[in-house]
Amino acid sequence: MGVVNVTPDSFSDGGRFLDPTAAVAHGERLAAEGAHILDVGGESTRPGSAGVPADEELRRVLPVVEGLAATGKAISIDTSKTEVATAALDAGAVLVNDVTAFRGDPGLAGLVAARGVDCCLMHMLGTPRTMQDDPRYDDVVSDVKAFLEQRLAFAVGEGVAEERVMLDPGIGFGKTVDHNLELLARLDEIAALGRPVVVGVSRKSFLGRITGREAAERAVATAAANVLALERGASVFRVHDVAETRDALAVAAATLAGRWPVTTPRTTTTTT
Ligand code: HH2
């Protein structure tokens, strides 16, 4: 999943793709680099951010969703607002990525159910404005897992087909460095819920804390975390650096399978 942030203030690429033409070109580049899904967002959820009104979010994302629908890739709309999601689905999006897991806007679950589209439900402790103020858990993995299980049940209760739901532990959303690392180390426990697991580690600050690198220089760190997330059961990898992550995941998947291409049955080979 390639990230297309149409925002002035995203933590790693804010302002770079605010112009719709630049955002569409960026999405096309990510598609060419191997992204299967393009996640278009018009509201930063970085720690401390306040959110934007629906009309401004729509003004940012709609021309980009329309422009990228022509790539033939699955377009995801990263929003918590029913109004924004409705227009994006009308413009060709097929997935609603809601970082509030249907807690932000009462109409969003019903919209996803009515349209029969996919959704991603993510864990977040509190709101972006306050989530990094001393986050605490009894056991971070058990708490996040219980939350996701409950939000999945809520979505199904609202009429969303269970097979349409992906779950995301919300790396960096109300978590310390150690919370993020424990979630990644024990990601198999989240995968045990039986739904595809999405991870969004891309360029996040815990990688900067470990490597000492600025956000734009965290592609290798991002790839390393994603490789281990793959090994622990993740299946969607939300990233800014698609080419690097794609290579890392392709090699990791082939190594885990003990063959390449991964999808074909094992054959005897004399290739050196
Ligand atoms: N992370 C961000 C935004 N949306 N969605 C999911 N499902 N999982 C994530 O981990 C996730 C997400 C934050 O990253 P980014 O979009 O690069 O930054 P910003 O929120 O500042 O725009």
Side-chain angles (χ1 to χ4, degrees):
M1 175 187 273
V3 179
V4 183
N5 279 330
V6 198
T7 58
D9 55 349
S10 286
F11 79 94
S12 84
D13 55 2
R16 285 191 60 200
F17 310 113
L18 198 50
D19 168 55
T21 311
V24 170
H26 181 61
E28 286 170 341
R29 195 176 320 124
L30 299 184
E33 288 176 359
H36 293 184
I37 305 169
L38 299 171
D39 189 38
V40 180
E43 176 180 69
S44 173
T45 48
R46 75 189 185 287
S49 61
V52 294
D55 59 345
E56 172 62 14
E57 196 179 328
L58 264 177
R59 201 183 59 72
R60 293 178 186 174
V61 297
L62 211 50
V64 181
V65 172
E66 282 164 357
L68 288 176
T71 59
K73 301 290 179 180
I75 307 302
S76 163
I77 180 70
D78 188 348
T79 190
S80 302
K81 299 186 184 76
T82 305
E83 188 181 339
V84 174
T86 302
L89 294 177
D90 288 345
V94 294
L95 196 168
V96 175
N97 175 23
D98 179 13
V99 297
T100 74
F102 292 155
R103 294 176 299 158
D105 185 333
L108 194 50
L111 174 72
V112 168
R115 297 293 187 95
V117 293
D118 292 328
C119 62
C120 174
L121 305 181
M122 194 196 78
H123 176 270
M124 169 165 45
L125 190 69
T127 63
R129 188 184 273 282
T130 58
M131 64 191 179
Q132 290 306 110
D133 299 346
D134 193 24
R136 284 168 195 251
Y137 299 87
D138 290 333
D139 173 87
V140 66
V141 180
S142 306
D143 290 6
V144 168
K145 182 177 178 179
F147 170 90
L148 293 174
E149 194 166 20
Q150 188 254 322
R151 297 318 295 165
L152 173 62
F154 172 83
V156 171
E158 293 290 302
V160 178
E162 186 164 343
E163 59 271 22
R164 291 287 180 191
V165 183
M166 298 184 279
L167 301 174
D168 184 332
I171 299 298
F173 285 84
K175 280 114 186 159
T176 62
V177 172
D178 285 354
H179 290 147
N180 291 323
L181 294 172
E182 190 163 1
L183 278 165
L184 289 169
R186 294 168 55 196
L187 203 62
D188 54 319
E189 295 177 42
I190 306 293
L193 288 170
R195 302 304 315 141
V197 173
V198 181
V199 283
V201 298
S202 191
R203 298 183 178 176
K204 284 185 178 168
S205 64
F206 78 107
L207 300 175
R209 289 282 295 281
I210 295 170
T211 62
R213 293 189 181 278
E214 294 301 319
E217 298 168 350
R218 296 176 190 158
V220 174
T222 296
N226 277 317
V227 161
L228 291 168
L230 170 77
E231 195 256 341
R232 288 156 171 76
S235 44
V236 178
F237 308 85
R238 183 181 183 278
V239 294
H240 304 82
D241 304 290
V242 169
E244 293 87 340
T245 305
R246 201 208 72 97
D247 283 4
L249 289 173
V251 173
T255 306
L256 287 169
R259 62 173 181 269
W260 186 84
V262 170
T263 46
T264 59
R266 186 190 290 273
T267 51
T268 311
T269 171
T270 53
T271 311
T272 54

